[in-house]
Amino acid sequence: VIGRYCDQPEQFPGVAHFHTVRVNQPSGFYYSTDFLKQLCDLWEFRGSGLTNMHGSTGDIVWLGTTTPQLEEIFYELTHKLDTDLGGSGSNLRTPASCLGMSRCQYSCIDAQDLCHDLTIEYQDFLHRPAFPYKFKFKVDGCPNGCVASIARSDLSFIGLWKDNIRIDQEAVKAYIGGEIKPNAGAHSGRDWGKFDINKEVIDLCPTNCMWMEGNTLKINDKECNHCMHCINALPRALRIGEETGCAMLLGAKAPILDGAQMGTLIVPFIKCEAPYTEIKDLIEKLFEFWMEEGKNRERVGETMKRVGLYKILQVMELEVDARVVQEPRTNPYIFWKEEEVPGGWDRQIEDYRSRHKM
């Protein structure tokens, strides 16, 4: 609940109180008409009737009610509608996910289930502010990123596959021959001319990992960066791999204090299966560190910039991986810990010079 009060309540008694209420949206934004009717009836009775479906990063937003109605609204939501308030303030905000496996053939993980599980697991953090600033989970079932988690969440989960893209060579030939429309027919509103697999798919691959050998499509999967373009263009010919999981990225945020930033890759691949124990272990290590070390109104991405990515990886007990590094160092100063140096700080300089002649 976000408190809104008028500065001149005597002059404008009708809006002396105009509180905003955030309501936890269902995972994947699935509603029944019955549930929507109950929400509308409750808000018409207890509030202004004005709604916002949804807020910019989730939540059903109810605009305008008075203080005496707040406890009544909370009771109705939790006891009769079997839902909850969303997050507001320096706490966990309402987790959000795409439709995942319920509707999408590209989804590598059950995005809805992970979103729901995290919502239930960390419900206390939604209601009892314990963080330096707000914190958001978002779950994308695949790299198409339908909830844009890489840009809008402090900790984003993006479904990936670890093995090779599955290829149906007969379907590839059907696309080339014009028997199947590319992009699942999405661009069929006008005549774009004959489909050219080189021009429209292969030449647009960002890592140049695809080529044709005669009528056979070849992919060097070790170079694939999961951009999804080829799979989107040829959905009946190309499918995600079978060994699936997700990547975890940390620190995306809007430009409030320190400018906008995208999520930084911290876990290139992790299995994503209930009860998600390994994922939750990493989350709790991060929460413990950030609650202790984060400054007031400092998002976790800004904390990471301040203390360094390596410190975050240490806190979460993750090994440094080349895929995590965005670019090589631009200065020569590398600081070693004593346990990382053979012989420690007390090794004899003569031994070093015997192996490295001056």
Side-chain angles (χ1 to χ4, degrees):
V1 177
I2 304 161
R4 312 283 192 205
Y5 295 94
C6 177
D7 286 340
Q8 298 174 307
E10 301 83 9
Q11 197 169 350
F12 303 100
V15 290
H17 301 175
F18 206 77
H19 307 316
T20 295
V21 180
R22 287 180 177 165
V23 181
N24 198 324
Q25 80 277 357
S27 186
F29 301 96
Y30 277 107
Y31 297 96
S32 67
T33 52
D34 182 55
F35 181 66
L36 285 173
K37 285 176 183 175
Q38 291 179 70
L39 287 176
C40 292
D41 288 344
L42 172 59
W43 191 236
E44 196 74 45
F45 182 56
R46 298 288 181 187
S48 68
L50 292 172
T51 62
N52 177 354
M53 301 285 284
H54 296 87
S56 60
T57 59
D59 286 330
I60 306 153
V61 179
W62 286 345
L63 303 164
T65 191
T66 58
T67 303
Q69 298 293 343
L70 294 177
E71 193 60 44
E72 305 294 339
I73 290 167
F74 183 64
Y75 184 90
E76 294 264 342
L77 284 173
T78 53
H79 289 74
K80 296 183 180 179
L81 300 187
D82 197 27
T83 189
D84 202 350
L85 292 176
S88 175
S90 294
N91 59 2
L92 179 66
R93 299 301 177 85
T94 315
S97 76
C98 66
L99 298 176
M101 290 180 172
S102 64
R103 292 293 300 273
C104 183
Q105 64 185 346
Y106 302 141
S107 189
C108 302
I109 57 175
D110 191 339
Q112 282 182 270
D113 187 62
L114 176 59
C115 178
H116 180 73
D117 194 286
L118 293 177
T119 304
I120 300 302
E121 180 76 20
Y122 298 110
Q123 196 69 16
D124 277 355
F125 288 107
L126 274 163
H127 289 297
R128 296 170 179 82
F131 296 150
Y133 203 16
K134 57 189 171 185
F135 191 98
K136 299 176 182 178
F137 291 130
K138 294 196 189 304
V139 186
D140 279 313
C142 78
N144 277 325
C146 291
V147 295
S149 66
I150 193 171
R152 304 192 306 153
S153 65
D154 297 272
L155 190 61
S156 65
F157 303 88
I158 302 178
L160 294 171
W161 63 94
K162 200 174 183 180
D163 52 346
N164 296 342
I165 295 172
R166 290 174 281 173
I167 307 175
D168 182 340
Q169 297 293 351
E170 292 305 313
V172 172
K173 293 173 187 175
Y175 276 110
I176 294 171
E179 298 156 41
I180 305 176
K181 291 186 180 297
N183 298 288
H187 301 155
S188 58
R190 58 178 279 194
D191 183 11
W192 296 91
K194 189 176 184 324
F195 174 68
D196 185 338
I197 193 169
N198 285 301
K199 183 179 178 182
E200 298 180 43
V201 180
I202 293 173
D203 292 347
L204 297 178
C205 176
T207 61
N208 298 313
C209 71
M210 309 177 71
W211 69 97
M212 293 294 295
E213 288 187 6
N215 290 326
T216 304
L217 177 65
K218 298 285 188 180
I219 300 176
N220 178 6
D221 286 274
K222 289 182 179 178
E223 293 297 318
C224 174
N225 70 354
H226 305 87
C227 79
M228 295 293 289
H229 173 69
C230 63
I231 296 177
N232 292 332
L234 311 173
R236 287 174 63 177
L238 302 177
R239 296 175 64 194
I240 62 172
E242 295 180 307
E243 189 180 352
T244 58
C246 72
M248 294 171 62
L249 296 93
L250 183 69
K253 67 177 197 67
I256 298 175
L257 294 181
D258 195 29
Q261 60 190 58
M262 301 278 272
T264 296
L265 184 67
I266 56 169
V267 180
F269 186 86
I270 188 169
K271 277 293 183 184
C272 193
E273 297 168 351
Y276 311 108
T277 305
E278 195 175 352
I279 288 173
K280 290 173 185 174
D281 286 345
L282 294 175
I283 290 170
E284 281 152 26
K285 289 170 187 170
L286 177 66
F287 279 177
E288 188 176 343
F289 171 77
W290 185 50
M291 285 190 286
E292 186 69 29
E293 299 294 333
K295 295 181 179 180
N296 186 39
R297 293 184 66 81
E298 181 178 65
R299 296 285 287 271
V300 71
E302 292 159 346
T303 304
M304 181 173 63
K305 283 180 71 175
R306 179 167 57 82
V307 303
L309 174 61
Y310 185 48
K311 178 65 176 177
I312 296 293
L313 295 177
Q314 282 183 307
V315 165
M316 298 178 74
E317 298 179 10
L318 294 167
E319 293 291 327
V320 178
D321 188 301
R323 292 168 291 181
V324 172
V325 180
Q326 188 173 17
E327 61 183 28
R329 292 185 68 95
T330 54
N331 64 56
Y333 300 105
I334 299 173
F335 298 94
W336 303 94
K337 293 183 178 179
E338 186 171 6
E339 60 268 22
E340 296 173 334
V341 177
W345 301 144
D346 297 327
R347 70 188 190 282
Q348 297 300 312
I349 192 64
E350 290 75 14
D351 175 56
Y352 173 85
R353 287 176 177 166
S354 69
R355 291 179 283 108
H356 302 275
K357 300 296 184 184
M358 297 294 285

